[in-house]
Amino acid sequence: MELIDAIILGIVQGLTEFLPVSSSGHLELGKAILGENQLPQDSLLFTVVLHFATALSTIVVFRKDVLDIFRGLFQLQWNEETRFSLKIILSMVPAVFIGLFFEKELESLFGDNVVLVGFMLIITALLLYLADRAQETDKSVKFLNAFIIGISQAIAILPGISRSGATISTSVLLGIDKNKATRFSFLMVVPLILGKMILDLYSGEIDFQSDQIVPISAGFTAAFLAGLAACTWMIQLVRKSKLQYFAIYCFLVGLISIAIGFWN
């Protein structure tokens, strides 16, 4: 892998992990426009490294929350930290279930399916538009809320549905405080990323070569820094109700995707 390709992929991963634009949808659209062979190809090891970089950026941004959670858990009491951790675990159930039992069906949705991507991007745009107009509240995430948000995260496996956009919008539409919704949305994905990394590491499919050290390091750094910037920016955008700009963007890209699909 070329150094510039590694940096580009790292920046894209870092930005799209947090910004509500659907990285998978844009990848499918890029394949349709440029051709699959024209896009930079990343190895499984590189993918694991980029995912770790974005997970680490989330932990850094929410380091106080993460430390509070661990402190609370070590008290071995039924406290707020314990309840929050259980809500995170509950939110993971739908995505884990879909990933385990419908993997082949999901894979069939990827690859030259830009019409589906277009409609899903328009759905993402609608969710962002509605979330931006939701009333301000101070409500926290309840257990039922956590499961419903988890369902939206599972649905976001579809190409074109933004994970962050779907989970934050669902949270806000459920009446949850915008700051708490963003915090829960970003923290709930960290265990999934780390779990997927562990599975990939133990899959036996990772091939490491010494000449990969420089591009992998560059990709990690790019993804981590881009993730820090995107995560911090997204928190501010949700708080200030500025998601409509991403709604407009997703809507326009969705229309373009549908047009490309029917044209081809």
Side-chain angles (χ1 to χ4, degrees), residues 95-112:
V96 171
F97 177 82
I98 295 296
L100 288 176
F101 295 101
F102 296 95
E103 183 178 2
K104 292 183 179 179
E105 288 80 0
L106 286 172
E107 289 178 354
S108 67
L109 297 176
F110 290 81
D112 299 326

Side-chain angles (χ1 to χ4, degrees), residues 85-144:
S85 298
L86 290 176
K87 291 170 188 174
I88 292 290
I89 293 172
L90 183 61
S91 73
M92 294 166 54
V93 172
V96 171
F97 177 82
I98 295 296
L100 288 176
F101 295 101
F102 296 95
E103 183 178 2
K104 292 183 179 179
E105 288 80 0
L106 286 172
E107 289 178 354
S108 67
L109 297 176
F110 290 81
D112 299 326
N113 204 347
V114 293
V115 174
L116 173 65
V117 170
F119 281 113
M120 295 302 103
L121 281 169
I122 290 175
I123 290 175
T124 295
L126 178 62
L127 287 172
L128 295 173
Y129 177 83
L130 293 175
D132 237 13
R133 279 148 183 75
Q135 294 183 345
E136 294 283 348
T137 72
D138 58 357
K139 180 181 175 182
S140 299
V141 178
K142 306 299 182 184
F143 281 98
L144 179 59

Side-chain angles (χ1 to χ4, degrees), residues 43-49 196-209 212 216:
S43 65
L44 180 57
L45 175 60
F46 190 68
T47 300
V48 170
V49 169
K196 182 63 166 60
M197 282 173 49
I198 293 172
L199 289 176
D200 289 338
L201 288 172
Y202 280 95
S203 67
E205 299 178 5
I206 290 182
D207 179 31
F208 175 74
Q209 298 175 1
Q212 294 178 308
I216 285 178

Side-chain angles (χ1 to χ4, degrees), residues 142-154:
K142 306 299 182 184
F143 281 98
L144 179 59
N145 298 147
F147 185 74
I148 295 173
I149 297 167
I151 292 175
S152 70
Q153 178 168 250

Side-chain angles (χ1 to χ4, degrees), residues 241-253:
S241 297
K242 299 294 184 181
L243 294 179
Q244 69 265 24
Y245 300 115
F246 290 101
I248 295 171
Y249 172 80
C250 288
F251 181 77
L252 293 176
V253 175

